[in-house]
Amino acid sequence: MNYCYINGKILSTDKARISLDDLGLLRGYGVFDVMKTVNGRIFLFEEHFKRLSDSASYLGVELPLKKEEIEAVIKKLILKNKIRKGREVSIRIVLTGGRSADAMHFDSKTPTFYIMVSEFKPLEGGLYKKGIKLATVNRGRDIAETKTTNYIIAVKNINERQKKEKFFEILYVSGGLVLEAATSNFFVFIGDKLVVPKDNILRGITRSSVIKLASKEFEVEERELKTDELSLANEAFIAATNKDIVPVVQIDDLRIGDGKPGKNTKRLMEIFAEFVSNY
């Protein structure tokens, strides 16, 4: 039996309920964050909490728990769910506007707030060795700077297009610019320079760490990345909390570099893995 925290209580997940008039359900009025543990600690918790707090502020909804209280609840859930010793944990926190009598107005002090934990399941190792393919979608994320629960474009495209073609994730492009992947940030090497899309994206927690670590060995440039520059890229990768760094070797029909993970990407993967192991 699995347990979650919802609106002040720890319950088994089969007893947890969200009201039918919840704005998260009716209007998609919600935000979330995903974290994981590393060496038994919540990885980059300060940064994740700040993003969650900023997202809540954008909604105009009060977080019902303080940072220390959220951390305490997560620890309780890990014990309650009997996560196997030595296993890392995936954490998902969701906040919505809560119940609404007219499907529009809400009380900022009575949101719906829940936390779920589960054993972390890393990606299949071969993806890191062989690299992945991305499929472009001509669209940007709504309110990109805030981690909203609106993933309609991503879910729709993944479910429809993966029936016809094999790819790992979609890549948003818009107005001639490359933005981000559906659940990851996107990076390219042009020569030995790391180029990172800057605007109209969610500035991921892992993204920030990668930029900081990469700047010690590479020139890093945060700027607009034009779609026609993809043909100039000799390496590419995505990065996210639940993926770390994953090499990209193909985008649509475009092969990146020689179609294999590049040396700079591999070096960054080593650097990031060392950062994680020492966390």
mmCIF file of all heavy atoms in Angstrom, residues 35-65:
data_model
loop_
_atom_site.group_PDB
_atom_site.id
_atom_site.type_symbol
_atom_site.label_atom_id
_atom_site.label_comp_id
_atom_site.label_asym_id
_atom_site.label_seq_id
_atom_site.Cartn_x
_atom_site.Cartn_y
_atom_site.Cartn_z
ATOM 1 N N MET A 35 11.232 16.387 -7.413
ATOM 2 C CA MET A 35 12.548 16.318 -6.779
ATOM 3 C C MET A 35 12.973 14.853 -6.669
ATOM 4 O O MET A 35 12.200 13.948 -6.971
ATOM 5 C CB MET A 35 12.511 16.949 -5.382
ATOM 6 C CG MET A 35 11.838 18.287 -5.301
ATOM 7 S SD MET A 35 11.698 18.884 -3.587
ATOM 8 C CE MET A 35 10.483 20.199 -3.797
ATOM 9 N N LYS A 36 14.182 14.656 -6.220
ATOM 10 C CA LYS A 36 14.651 13.309 -5.930
ATOM 11 C C LYS A 36 15.651 13.371 -4.787
ATOM 12 O O LYS A 36 16.146 14.456 -4.435
ATOM 13 C CB LYS A 36 15.302 12.669 -7.157
ATOM 14 C CG LYS A 36 16.635 13.303 -7.570
ATOM 15 C CD LYS A 36 17.249 12.567 -8.758
ATOM 16 C CE LYS A 36 18.574 13.201 -9.170
ATOM 17 N NZ LYS A 36 19.183 12.517 -10.334
ATOM 18 N N THR A 37 15.931 12.224 -4.211
ATOM 19 C CA THR A 37 16.975 12.168 -3.201
ATOM 20 C C THR A 37 18.276 11.699 -3.829
ATOM 21 O O THR A 37 18.279 10.962 -4.817
ATOM 22 C CB THR A 37 16.606 11.217 -2.038
ATOM 23 O OG1 THR A 37 16.436 9.887 -2.547
ATOM 24 C CG2 THR A 37 15.330 11.675 -1.344
ATOM 25 N N VAL A 38 19.359 12.145 -3.258
ATOM 26 C CA VAL A 38 20.700 11.705 -3.638
ATOM 27 C C VAL A 38 21.453 11.429 -2.343
ATOM 28 O O VAL A 38 21.499 12.295 -1.453
ATOM 29 C CB VAL A 38 21.439 12.773 -4.471
ATOM 30 C CG1 VAL A 38 22.916 12.443 -4.575
ATOM 31 C CG2 VAL A 38 20.817 12.890 -5.849
ATOM 32 N N ASN A 39 21.981 10.230 -2.218
ATOM 33 C CA ASN A 39 22.675 9.837 -0.993
ATOM 34 C C ASN A 39 21.780 10.052 0.237
ATOM 35 O O ASN A 39 22.251 10.432 1.315
ATOM 36 C CB ASN A 39 23.982 10.620 -0.833
ATOM 37 C CG ASN A 39 24.945 10.388 -1.981
ATOM 38 O OD1 ASN A 39 25.018 9.288 -2.522
ATOM 39 N ND2 ASN A 39 25.671 11.417 -2.372
ATOM 40 N N GLY A 40 20.476 9.830 0.043
ATOM 41 C CA GLY A 40 19.540 9.931 1.147
ATOM 42 C C GLY A 40 19.084 11.339 1.475
ATOM 43 O O GLY A 40 18.255 11.535 2.373
ATOM 44 N N ARG A 41 19.572 12.346 0.734
ATOM 45 C CA ARG A 41 19.180 13.743 0.962
ATOM 46 C C ARG A 41 18.369 14.248 -0.228
ATOM 47 O O ARG A 41 18.580 13.802 -1.356
ATOM 48 C CB ARG A 41 20.416 14.629 1.133
ATOM 49 C CG ARG A 41 21.276 14.295 2.336
ATOM 50 C CD ARG A 41 22.538 15.151 2.330
ATOM 51 N NE ARG A 41 22.218 16.572 2.294
ATOM 52 C CZ ARG A 41 23.055 17.518 1.867
ATOM 53 N NH1 ARG A 41 24.250 17.169 1.397
ATOM 54 N NH2 ARG A 41 22.693 18.786 1.883
ATOM 55 N N ILE A 42 17.465 15.180 0.027
ATOM 56 C CA ILE A 42 16.700 15.772 -1.072
ATOM 57 C C ILE A 42 17.644 16.635 -1.890
ATOM 58 O O ILE A 42 18.226 17.592 -1.377
ATOM 59 C CB ILE A 42 15.511 16.597 -0.552
ATOM 60 C CG1 ILE A 42 14.615 15.741 0.346
ATOM 61 C CG2 ILE A 42 14.707 17.149 -1.731
ATOM 62 C CD1 ILE A 42 13.512 16.526 1.045
ATOM 63 N N PHE A 43 17.799 16.295 -3.149
ATOM 64 C CA PHE A 43 18.788 16.917 -4.014
ATOM 65 C C PHE A 43 18.366 18.344 -4.363
ATOM 66 O O PHE A 43 17.278 18.572 -4.892
ATOM 67 C CB PHE A 43 18.935 16.075 -5.284
ATOM 68 C CG PHE A 43 20.067 16.472 -6.183
ATOM 69 C CD1 PHE A 43 21.356 16.600 -5.699
ATOM 70 C CD2 PHE A 43 19.841 16.702 -7.531
ATOM 71 C CE1 PHE A 43 22.402 16.940 -6.539
ATOM 72 C CE2 PHE A 43 20.874 17.051 -8.377
ATOM 73 C CZ PHE A 43 22.162 17.163 -7.879
ATOM 74 N N LEU A 44 19.241 19.307 -4.031
ATOM 75 C CA LEU A 44 19.018 20.719 -4.357
ATOM 76 C C LEU A 44 17.647 21.193 -3.852
ATOM 77 O O LEU A 44 16.913 21.893 -4.544
ATOM 78 C CB LEU A 44 19.141 20.939 -5.870
ATOM 79 C CG LEU A 44 20.500 20.567 -6.480
ATOM 80 C CD1 LEU A 44 20.455 20.671 -8.002
ATOM 81 C CD2 LEU A 44 21.609 21.461 -5.922
ATOM 82 N N PHE A 45 17.334 20.818 -2.621
ATOM 83 C CA PHE A 45 16.024 21.126 -2.059
ATOM 84 C C PHE A 45 15.773 22.627 -1.959
ATOM 85 O O PHE A 45 14.658 23.097 -2.223
ATOM 86 C CB PHE A 45 15.879 20.477 -0.684
ATOM 87 C CG PHE A 45 14.543 20.735 -0.033
ATOM 88 C CD1 PHE A 45 13.371 20.328 -0.654
ATOM 89 C CD2 PHE A 45 14.456 21.373 1.198
ATOM 90 C CE1 PHE A 45 12.132 20.555 -0.065
ATOM 91 C CE2 PHE A 45 13.226 21.604 1.791
ATOM 92 C CZ PHE A 45 12.063 21.203 1.164
ATOM 93 N N GLU A 46 16.778 23.404 -1.572
ATOM 94 C CA GLU A 46 16.602 24.849 -1.457
ATOM 95 C C GLU A 46 16.138 25.444 -2.777
ATOM 96 O O GLU A 46 15.213 26.262 -2.828
ATOM 97 C CB GLU A 46 17.925 25.503 -1.026
ATOM 98 C CG GLU A 46 18.407 25.136 0.363
ATOM 99 C CD GLU A 46 17.653 25.880 1.452
ATOM 100 O OE1 GLU A 46 17.030 26.914 1.146
ATOM 101 O OE2 GLU A 46 17.682 25.408 2.610
ATOM 102 N N GLU A 47 16.788 25.024 -3.866
ATOM 103 C CA GLU A 47 16.460 25.552 -5.192
ATOM 104 C C GLU A 47 15.070 25.117 -5.632
ATOM 105 O O GLU A 47 14.298 25.904 -6.197
ATOM 106 C CB GLU A 47 17.510 25.110 -6.207
ATOM 107 C CG GLU A 47 18.891 25.714 -5.988
ATOM 108 C CD GLU A 47 19.755 24.944 -5.001
ATOM 109 O OE1 GLU A 47 19.209 24.091 -4.254
ATOM 110 O OE2 GLU A 47 20.977 25.179 -4.961
ATOM 111 N N HIS A 48 14.728 23.860 -5.374
ATOM 112 C CA HIS A 48 13.411 23.357 -5.750
ATOM 113 C C HIS A 48 12.312 24.062 -4.955
ATOM 114 O O HIS A 48 11.255 24.408 -5.506
ATOM 115 C CB HIS A 48 13.325 21.847 -5.535
ATOM 116 C CG HIS A 48 13.910 21.046 -6.645
ATOM 117 N ND1 HIS A 48 13.249 20.849 -7.841
ATOM 118 C CD2 HIS A 48 15.090 20.388 -6.749
ATOM 119 C CE1 HIS A 48 14.006 20.106 -8.637
ATOM 120 N NE2 HIS A 48 15.112 19.810 -8.004
ATOM 121 N N PHE A 49 12.551 24.261 -3.662
ATOM 122 C CA PHE A 49 11.540 24.927 -2.859
ATOM 123 C C PHE A 49 11.323 26.358 -3.331
ATOM 124 O O PHE A 49 10.171 26.837 -3.378
ATOM 125 C CB PHE A 49 11.914 24.929 -1.371
ATOM 126 C CG PHE A 49 10.918 25.685 -0.529
ATOM 127 C CD1 PHE A 49 9.727 25.089 -0.145
ATOM 128 C CD2 PHE A 49 11.162 27.000 -0.155
ATOM 129 C CE1 PHE A 49 8.789 25.789 0.595
ATOM 130 C CE2 PHE A 49 10.230 27.707 0.585
ATOM 131 C CZ PHE A 49 9.036 27.103 0.966
ATOM 132 N N LYS A 50 12.391 27.042 -3.676
ATOM 133 C CA LYS A 50 12.240 28.420 -4.162
ATOM 134 C C LYS A 50 11.390 28.454 -5.429
ATOM 135 O O LYS A 50 10.521 29.323 -5.586
ATOM 136 C CB LYS A 50 13.594 29.063 -4.424
ATOM 137 C CG LYS A 50 13.484 30.531 -4.855
ATOM 138 C CD LYS A 50 14.832 31.152 -5.116
ATOM 139 C CE LYS A 50 14.673 32.646 -5.417
ATOM 140 N NZ LYS A 50 13.713 32.952 -6.494
ATOM 141 N N ARG A 51 11.642 27.506 -6.342
ATOM 142 C CA ARG A 51 10.844 27.476 -7.565
ATOM 143 C C ARG A 51 9.382 27.176 -7.254
ATOM 144 O O ARG A 51 8.475 27.797 -7.822
ATOM 145 C CB ARG A 51 11.399 26.442 -8.554
ATOM 146 C CG ARG A 51 10.620 26.408 -9.866
ATOM 147 C CD ARG A 51 11.303 25.565 -10.917
ATOM 148 N NE ARG A 51 11.327 24.158 -10.570
ATOM 149 C CZ ARG A 51 11.912 23.219 -11.310
ATOM 150 N NH1 ARG A 51 12.534 23.563 -12.432
ATOM 151 N NH2 ARG A 51 11.895 21.951 -10.946
ATOM 152 N N LEU A 52 9.129 26.241 -6.353
ATOM 153 C CA LEU A 52 7.756 25.932 -5.956
ATOM 154 C C LEU A 52 7.094 27.151 -5.329
ATOM 155 O O LEU A 52 5.941 27.474 -5.628
ATOM 156 C CB LEU A 52 7.749 24.758 -4.974
ATOM 157 C CG LEU A 52 6.382 24.338 -4.426
ATOM 158 C CD1 LEU A 52 5.488 23.814 -5.547
ATOM 159 C CD2 LEU A 52 6.555 23.279 -3.338
ATOM 160 N N SER A 53 7.830 27.828 -4.466
ATOM 161 C CA SER A 53 7.305 29.014 -3.809
ATOM 162 C C SER A 53 7.012 30.123 -4.817
ATOM 163 O O SER A 53 5.964 30.790 -4.753
ATOM 164 C CB SER A 53 8.305 29.509 -2.759
ATOM 165 O OG SER A 53 7.822 30.655 -2.090
ATOM 166 N N ASP A 54 7.915 30.317 -5.775
ATOM 167 C CA ASP A 54 7.706 31.327 -6.821
ATOM 168 C C ASP A 54 6.497 30.977 -7.684
ATOM 169 O O ASP A 54 5.723 31.852 -8.082
ATOM 170 C CB ASP A 54 8.952 31.449 -7.698
ATOM 171 C CG ASP A 54 10.121 32.103 -6.975
ATOM 172 O OD1 ASP A 54 9.901 32.698 -5.901
ATOM 173 O OD2 ASP A 54 11.258 31.996 -7.476
ATOM 174 N N SER A 55 6.342 29.683 -7.990
ATOM 175 C CA SER A 55 5.195 29.239 -8.791
ATOM 176 C C SER A 55 3.892 29.475 -8.040
ATOM 177 O O SER A 55 2.889 29.906 -8.626
ATOM 178 C CB SER A 55 5.337 27.753 -9.141
ATOM 179 O OG SER A 55 6.460 27.526 -9.970
ATOM 180 N N ALA A 56 3.908 29.209 -6.731
ATOM 181 C CA ALA A 56 2.718 29.444 -5.911
ATOM 182 C C ALA A 56 2.370 30.931 -5.891
ATOM 183 O O ALA A 56 1.189 31.304 -5.982
ATOM 184 C CB ALA A 56 2.954 28.932 -4.497
ATOM 185 N N SER A 57 3.386 31.770 -5.789
ATOM 186 C CA SER A 57 3.161 33.214 -5.790
ATOM 187 C C SER A 57 2.547 33.669 -7.098
ATOM 188 O O SER A 57 1.669 34.541 -7.114
ATOM 189 C CB SER A 57 4.481 33.955 -5.546
ATOM 190 O OG SER A 57 4.965 33.692 -4.247
ATOM 191 N N TYR A 58 2.985 33.065 -8.201
ATOM 192 C CA TYR A 58 2.410 33.432 -9.499
ATOM 193 C C TYR A 58 0.920 33.104 -9.529
ATOM 194 O O TYR A 58 0.107 33.881 -10.054
ATOM 195 C CB TYR A 58 3.130 32.697 -10.627
ATOM 196 C CG TYR A 58 2.576 33.059 -11.992
ATOM 197 C CD1 TYR A 58 3.057 34.173 -12.670
ATOM 198 C CD2 TYR A 58 1.562 32.314 -12.578
ATOM 199 C CE1 TYR A 58 2.528 34.534 -13.901
ATOM 200 C CE2 TYR A 58 1.024 32.666 -13.800
ATOM 201 C CZ TYR A 58 1.511 33.772 -14.462
ATOM 202 O OH TYR A 58 0.977 34.133 -15.670
ATOM 203 N N LEU A 59 0.548 31.967 -8.953
ATOM 204 C CA LEU A 59 -0.867 31.583 -8.906
ATOM 205 C C LEU A 59 -1.669 32.463 -7.957
ATOM 206 O O LEU A 59 -2.887 32.555 -8.070
ATOM 207 C CB LEU A 59 -1.024 30.130 -8.440
ATOM 208 C CG LEU A 59 -0.702 28.980 -9.372
ATOM 209 C CD1 LEU A 59 -1.169 27.672 -8.747
ATOM 210 C CD2 LEU A 59 -1.319 29.162 -10.744
ATOM 211 N N GLY A 60 -0.969 33.096 -7.003
ATOM 212 C CA GLY A 60 -1.686 33.821 -5.964
ATOM 213 C C GLY A 60 -2.249 32.887 -4.925
ATOM 214 O O GLY A 60 -3.281 33.153 -4.301
ATOM 215 N N VAL A 61 -1.553 31.772 -4.721
ATOM 216 C CA VAL A 61 -1.994 30.745 -3.775
ATOM 217 C C VAL A 61 -0.931 30.606 -2.690
ATOM 218 O O VAL A 61 0.267 30.608 -2.977
ATOM 219 C CB VAL A 61 -2.202 29.385 -4.484
ATOM 220 C CG1 VAL A 61 -2.562 28.312 -3.480
ATOM 221 C CG2 VAL A 61 -3.290 29.513 -5.544
ATOM 222 N N GLU A 62 -1.349 30.467 -1.460
ATOM 223 C CA GLU A 62 -0.408 30.316 -0.353
ATOM 224 C C GLU A 62 0.010 28.859 -0.186
ATOM 225 O O GLU A 62 -0.846 27.969 -0.129
ATOM 226 C CB GLU A 62 -1.034 30.811 0.954
ATOM 227 C CG GLU A 62 -1.282 32.306 0.996
ATOM 228 C CD GLU A 62 -1.789 32.767 2.351
ATOM 229 O OE1 GLU A 62 -1.631 32.000 3.332
ATOM 230 O OE2 GLU A 62 -2.333 33.880 2.440
ATOM 231 N N LEU A 63 1.314 28.632 -0.103
ATOM 232 C CA LEU A 63 1.785 27.292 0.237
ATOM 233 C C LEU A 63 1.363 26.991 1.670
ATOM 234 O O LEU A 63 1.669 27.765 2.574
ATOM 235 C CB LEU A 63 3.307 27.202 0.124
ATOM 236 C CG LEU A 63 3.910 26.837 -1.217
ATOM 237 C CD1 LEU A 63 5.436 26.926 -1.143
ATOM 238 C CD2 LEU A 63 3.487 25.456 -1.663
ATOM 239 N N PRO A 64 0.675 25.892 1.899
ATOM 240 C CA PRO A 64 0.172 25.614 3.255
ATOM 241 C C PRO A 64 1.248 25.160 4.240
ATOM 242 O O PRO A 64 1.011 25.152 5.442
ATOM 243 C CB PRO A 64 -0.860 24.511 3.026
ATOM 244 C CG PRO A 64 -0.437 23.840 1.770
ATOM 245 C CD PRO A 64 0.182 24.913 0.917
ATOM 246 N N LEU A 65 2.411 24.753 3.738
ATOM 247 C CA LEU A 65 3.495 24.311 4.603
ATOM 248 C C LEU A 65 4.759 25.118 4.339
ATOM 249 O O LEU A 65 5.032 25.510 3.200
ATOM 250 C CB LEU A 65 3.803 22.826 4.378
ATOM 251 C CG LEU A 65 2.706 21.803 4.684
ATOM 252 C CD1 LEU A 65 3.229 20.391 4.438
ATOM 253 C CD2 LEU A 65 2.191 21.946 6.105
#
